[in-house]
Each structure stands twice: as C-alpha cells, then as structure tokens.
Amino acid sequence: MKKSVVSKEYQKLQKDIIELQEQWKTSLDPDCVRPNLDKAAMEAGVPVTALAAIDFDISLFLQWIEDIGGLLSKYQPEIETSMQSIKNLLDEETAKRWIDEAFAFNYIYFESFAEENNLDGWIPQFVAETVLRPYLQLTAAKVQDEIHHGVHGAGCPVCGEPVRLAQLEGEGKKVLHCPRCSAHWNDRRVACSHCGNNDHETVKILTIEGESAAQIQICEECKGYTKVIDTRQYIVKPTPAMLDLNTIHLDFVAQEHGYKSAGETKQTN
C-alpha cells in the first residue's frame, strides 16, 4: 500500500478520536437505541437510524463535546478559544438541533452556525459528527446480523452515509464498509455500488501505480466511484474509518478523473 498522504500527526489524532468514541460507546445504555427493522422501508433504501428510537443523553452529549474539544486543542492549540465558545453556546436546545442536523448531513446549517459565531467553518460539523457516531455505531452493532445488502443509490443501510469504501474479503468477495457507523454489507464484485450498473463495458477499474492492494472502481453511467481495498494483504486490518482516511489519496485520484463519491441519479423521461 502506498504511503498515506495524511500526516502522521493527523493519523494519530484520528486514532485518538476513535479510541475516545469507543470509550463513549461503552458508557451508553444499550437500551438507549431501539432499532425498528422495517423490511419494506429498508428495501426502499430508508436507513435504519431514520426509524430507530434513540434516547440521546444531552448532558452526556455536551460532556463529549467538551472531551473532543480538549483533544482537538491538544493537537491544535489555536482552536482552544473556538472550543470554549462552542461550550458556551451549546445549551440543551442547541445541542438537540446539532444532533438533528448532524443526522441529516446538513452542512449548510453548520456553516451558517460557524459564520454567525465567528468560528472556523469546519469545527461545528466535525464536532457534532464526532459525538454522534457512538450512537450510530451502537445502532449498527445491534442490527448488523440483519444487514446483508444495501439499496444502490441509498448509501449505508444503517446511517445513510454515501458509499465510498469496499474491502475484498475471503475468496474475493466485495464487502462495503461504512466509515461512519462501521456497518458492512455485501455487493456484487462487478457492479457500481451507487447505481447498481453491472455492465462490464461501463464499470471499470482504475489501477494506481505502486498500489498492490488498492484500486478504484468507476462507473461511466453515474460517474460514481468506490475505493476497493484488498485487506487480505494487511497484517493488521484497520478500522473502516482509518482505512478510509489512509486511502484518501484514492479519492483525490478519482475526483481528478471526474468521478464522485456519490453517483449521479440518471434522469428518465
């Protein structure tokens, strides 16, 4: 595998964040997440978290934001003031709003929040997403045995995250992994994971020089791409989140060639 373009320091930060999220997850009451496995909704592409009953502990949520603020400030002391501002701004109602908007991938809300409160644009959504993930991961862990496939074009069947990462496992089976909630599900080896196109002429592989364990599957129909990593070649298999981060150079290559991490919906007459 080609050396990651991500700095060692940022990789260390991400590992520390993942460890922190694992600690947070163990502090949750397992019964705070009650999935509703509505088969018809799942077949229609509705993510499990959209129908799950999740009891968010707002005081815990706010404590986690303080925790992640401390960790980020350790690596980037210049944002300590911003993290203190967020702590002061987040009352219970605002925290609930953050949860709702993070669920909905509403980056516009977080950009506006940052601008209105003179914060770096990336911080509010990054923090909200980071502290939301333990709930998403707990949901995925509860339903994983029932998640065998996804609906092409609908993203992760648990949390709705756009598909961008697959691993080759076993005898070469293609398994999609979600870096957000850690759910995984099967997909056809030669099929676009966005639109389902399985035409060998239009579903192609971009190989990267010097990459023996990684390639990019591209689709000429929807212009989507998926990173496909042969983790059978790894001595230690990383988490989906770390694997996604350490293969970000593949995202750059795909996007430079005009492909997107979420395929385009074809218009029909």
Side-chain angles (χ1 to χ4, degrees):
M1 168 67 70
K2 181 180 178 180
K3 184 178 179 182
S4 174
V5 298
V6 180
S7 72
K8 293 284 188 184
E9 184 178 47
Y10 193 71
Q11 290 182 54
K12 179 65 167 63
L13 169 61
Q14 288 299 319
K15 287 178 181 177
D16 286 350
I17 288 174
I18 290 169
E19 288 178 6
L20 195 55
Q21 289 170 328
E22 285 298 317
Q23 293 173 23
W24 293 341
K25 192 163 59 177
T26 61
S27 70
L28 291 175
D29 179 353
D31 293 331
C32 74
V33 173
R34 298 178 299 283
N36 173 19
L37 287 173
D38 184 317
K39 299 295 185 183
M42 292 171 67
E43 292 296 333
V46 177
V48 171
T49 51
L51 299 178
I54 303 179
D55 299 329
F56 289 98
D57 184 330
I58 299 302
S59 61
L60 200 58
F61 193 81
L62 292 171
Q63 179 58 54
W64 292 354
I65 288 176
E66 192 169 340
D67 292 346
I68 193 64
L71 179 60
L72 290 173
S73 297
K74 172 184 169 185
Y75 282 86
Q76 301 180 51
E78 67 275 12
I79 70 169
E80 187 171 356
T81 301
S82 292
M83 296 311 306
Q84 184 60 48
S85 296
I86 287 174
K87 180 182 176 182
N88 296 335
L89 288 164
L90 283 182
D91 55 20
E92 184 171 332
E93 287 306 310
T94 308
K96 289 179 180 177
R97 179 74 186 275
W98 272 36
I99 291 169
D100 290 341
E101 303 301 351
F103 248 117
F105 303 99
N106 190 352
Y107 65 90
I108 294 175
Y109 164 79
F110 288 105
E111 286 178 353
S112 297
F113 186 95
E115 185 174 352
E116 290 168 7
N117 294 287
N118 197 30
L119 301 168
D120 286 348
W122 65 271
I123 295 177
Q125 184 169 17
F126 181 87
V127 170
E129 176 66 26
T130 297
V131 297
L132 175 66
R133 288 192 179 191
Y135 286 96
L136 302 178
Q137 292 163 5
L138 178 58
T139 306
K142 283 197 161 194
V143 303
Q144 182 60 69
D145 289 345
E146 302 297 326
I147 304 297
H148 307 296
H149 66 277
V151 175
H152 290 124
C156 171
V158 174
C159 73
E161 175 86 345
V163 174
R164 63 177 176 273
L165 180 69
Q167 298 182 34
L168 296 183
E169 302 175 3
E171 299 300 317
K173 181 171 62 174
K174 176 182 165 190
V175 182
L176 299 175
H177 286 257
C178 179
R180 190 183 191 213
C181 72
S182 299
H184 55 86
W185 63 100
N186 299 325
D187 197 14
R188 289 169 294 173
R189 179 71 179 265
V190 184
C192 172
S193 298
H194 300 285
C195 70
N197 174 30
N198 61 358
D199 181 352
H200 292 253
E201 297 295 322
T202 52
V203 176
K204 304 175 183 178
I205 294 295
L206 278 180
T207 56
I208 311 300
E209 185 178 356
E211 296 276 5
S212 63
Q215 54 188 212
I216 307 167
Q217 190 175 60
I218 57 174
C219 177
E220 299 298 350
E221 287 293 313
C222 71
K223 293 298 180 181
Y225 75 87
T226 305
K227 299 183 292 188
V228 182
I229 316 300
D230 188 352
T231 50
R232 297 171 299 180
Q233 298 188 35
Y234 284 60
I235 297 173
V236 178
K237 190 173 178 178
T239 65
M242 287 306 301
L243 186 61
D244 185 45
L245 176 68
N246 287 330
T247 57
I248 197 169
H249 58 288
L250 301 181
D251 295 277
F252 297 154
V253 171
Q255 290 164 20
E256 285 170 358
H257 281 77
Y259 299 95
K260 301 178 181 180
S261 59
E264 298 171 351
T265 302
K266 302 274 298 176
Q267 296 295 321
T268 57
N269 295 324

